[in-house]
Amino acid sequence: MNTNSTIRARRIADDIDALAGITEPDRPYTRRAFTPKFFEGRKWLEQAMRDAGAVTQIDAAGNLIGTIPGAHPDLGTIMLGSHSDTVPDGGRFDGIAGVIAALEVVRALRDQGTVLDHTLEVADFLAEEVSIFGVSCIGSRGMSGSRPPEWLQRVAGELTLEQAIADVGGHPLHSAERDDIKAFLELHIEQGPVLQNEKIDIGVVTAIAGITRIEIIVEGRADHAGTTPMGARKDALTTAAWIALGVEELAKALASGEAHFAATVGEFEMTPNAANVVPARVRMLIDARAERREDMERFVDELDNGVGAIASKTGVAVSAPRIVSDNLPTPGDADLLDVLDAACETAGASHRRMASGAGHDTAWMARITKAAMIFVPCVDGRSHAPDELATAEDIALGAAVLLDAVMALDTKLQEDI
């Protein structure tokens, strides 16, 4: 990292340790959205923003925003951020690293006496992880005008999402959509092993993979497991196993190219699920993720053909694959990717371009502004687990890249007007 940088790894480490201490007892590190520990973490983060000189507010969608007014606020806003909620028994760095790195950029600008022409904002988006309401990216969807109105009536216990957003301090019936944000950048841990394995400091994210979920139902016939001849069975499980192996084979073929692709049979339900009964029915849910839309379309087509061929071979009825949900890939803004590449060079960080197989708030922010991400390494690629780990030095180098990118954008965005 540039030795002249005012980014401080020690401050970053202290902040992450402070938030890590705000967790459900005996469940490190758990701070789910809308829970008491989440509110406690938000209170701590709000004070940290104020200590850095930011003016704080909760917007209508329930996002915590820290604002540093620019010298010429009419130019619009450069926003940095991520999320502070966690998955159950999750990690200390997923989301949190991005919020703290953004906060450190604010402090570094203060320490070097720099006032941007643009307003700078740090966002802690509400409920990026799947919440108690069964939906995710609630805050960034709200800010981008993409939150379905019917979501407000989703219920967890006796609480509606509408009331939960109000409890956070938002105004769920009001619009939170923004038109003043000129660029959005998010730092995140990679959640994979590529940067560590290749000994590279920064991943410049080319795209956030589209996610398609596909349901397949296999209908066999229940029979006595001890008396039914092997050649006379209609075993739903063995047919489902052929399909699962086919999914893996097809996904490996698509992943062998330059673009990111992955597919997983993540849900698997078998009935009657008894040791002495031939399985009668299997429900499978496939999670497929593609950087390029054409790869997803090829996967769906070949899956449909493959399932038909397996059903013909085994004589067991298989439903046509049904798409349950389908989100398109989100490419990073080309101009911002170039700015981030240049910022890596300025910060002295080795870097490579790569796709994200996970979803992020950036995908929703890209609907209303130029948006892009950077990744920093995490140890052994572990994430969504208590032993998730990223070093303060790696996060600090990422924050230095953000700092250089913000300063470059403060000029470039004016030139582009």
Side-chain angles (χ1 to χ4, degrees), residues 221 223-235 238 278-279 314:
R221 186 184 67 213
D223 282 305
H224 194 293
T227 60
T228 306
M230 295 302 294
R233 300 178 178 211
K234 292 189 180 297
D235 188 328
T238 54
V278 175
T314 63

Side-chain angles (χ1 to χ4, degrees), residues 43-58:
K43 183 178 179 180
W44 182 93
L45 191 54
E46 183 175 24
Q47 187 58 54
M49 289 180 177
R50 289 175 177 172
D51 290 344
V55 177
T56 62
Q57 64 165 320
I58 304 293

Side-chain angles (χ1 to χ4, degrees), residues 349-363:
S350 59
H351 55 103
R352 61 160 287 175
R353 292 196 171 188
M354 61 192 303
S356 171
H360 299 284
D361 289 309
T362 297

Side-chain angles (χ1 to χ4, degrees), residues 9 18 22 26 44 60 74 78 83 87 92 94 112 138 152 169 188 228 263 274 282 293 314 328 337 356 366 405 414:
I22 304 172
D26 304 319
W44 182 93
D74 56 303
I78 298 171
H83 62 97
V87 299
R92 291 181 288 161
D94 176 0
Q112 65 190 38
I138 292 171
L152 294 179
H188 207 280
T228 306
V282 170
R293 183 63 180 180
T314 63
L328 297 174
L337 296 183
S356 171
Q414 297 179 63

